């Protein structure tokens, strides 16, 4: 009877062979989520270590404002640069995007909050951010190679 065709002309599917191991699937999804969170946390810490002191030195930003700007920039750069541009176009394009994003974002925030950032100061922060991001992207590549090899 297993070779008889059903009303659609198809052989009946052996449903007992189509079972999906949902626990393994869910576990792998959770591991991927934790890896993304870990990568974001590393980015937040790396950027905060350099961006916050530079903002405090070059501008009239308070510690809270500098921290919030650093966190906001890191989250925006993580989803735009690291999750999309890095995978599609490589490290150079992602680093360039991060530099432009840092300059535009911090310039806009600095103007809105009257931090008094000059263009050379903004350029220094953006270049330091670029160096950090370039190294971070290399770290991400190593992280992914170890994970998927």
């Amino acid at each position: 009877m297993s070779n008889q065709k059903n009303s659609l002309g198809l052989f009946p599917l052996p449903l007992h062979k189509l079972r999906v191991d949902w626990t393994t699937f869910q576990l792998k999804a959770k591991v991927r989520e934790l890896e993304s969170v870990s990568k974001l946390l590393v980015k937040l810490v790396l950027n905060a270590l350099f961006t916050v002191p530079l903002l405090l030195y070059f501008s009239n930003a308070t510690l809270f404002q500098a921290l919030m700007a650093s966190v906001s920039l890191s989250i925006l750069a993580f989803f735009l640069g690291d999750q999309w541009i890095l995978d599609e176009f490589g490290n150079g394009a992602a680093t360039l995007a991060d530099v432009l994003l840092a300059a535009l974002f911090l310039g806009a925030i600095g103007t809105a909050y009257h931090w008094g950032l000059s263009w050379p100061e903004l350029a220094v922060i953006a270049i330091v951010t670029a160096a950090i991001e370039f190294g971070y992207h290399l770290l991400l590549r190593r992280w992914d190679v170890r994970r998927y090899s």
Side-chain angles (χ1 to χ4, degrees):
M1 184 162 193
S2 64
N3 290 335
Q4 293 178 348
K5 292 185 178 181
N6 61 14
S7 62
L8 296 174
L10 303 172
F11 289 99
L13 294 174
L15 293 179
H16 67 282
K17 292 184 179 179
L18 292 178
R19 257 189 256 156
V20 176
D21 187 3
W22 288 106
T23 56
T24 304
F25 179 73
Q26 290 171 340
L27 182 63
K28 286 180 182 178
K30 289 291 182 191
V31 167
R32 273 188 237 109
E33 284 177 26
L34 288 174
E35 283 180 353
S36 291
V37 169
S38 298
K39 291 174 184 178
L40 179 59
L41 288 175
V42 168
K43 183 179 189 82
L44 287 169
V45 169
L46 282 175
N47 279 342
L49 283 175
F50 294 94
T51 306
V52 171
L54 287 172
L55 283 173
L56 291 175
Y57 181 75
F58 287 133
S59 72
N60 299 325
T62 65
L63 178 61
F64 180 75
Q65 289 173 336
L67 277 171
M68 289 299 104
S70 176
V71 167
S72 300
L73 177 62
S74 296
I75 291 171
L76 192 61
F78 180 76
F79 288 109
L80 181 66
D82 302 337
Q83 297 295 309
W84 178 56
I85 296 175
L86 181 62
D87 290 337
E88 293 292 325
F89 303 105
N91 195 359
T95 303
L96 180 64
D98 287 331
V99 168
L100 294 175
L101 181 65
L104 292 173
F105 181 78
L106 293 175
I109 296 294
T111 301
Y113 285 102
H114 307 288
W115 287 351
L117 276 172
S118 66
W119 284 108
E121 294 166 342
L122 198 56
V124 167
I125 296 172
I127 290 170
V128 169
T129 302
I132 295 163
E133 290 293 331
F134 184 81
Y136 175 72
H137 296 156
L138 293 177
L139 176 68
L140 283 181
R141 290 293 183 201
R142 283 189 178 179
W143 195 331
D144 289 341
V145 166
R146 284 191 203 144
R147 168 74 174 101
Y148 297 109
S149 60

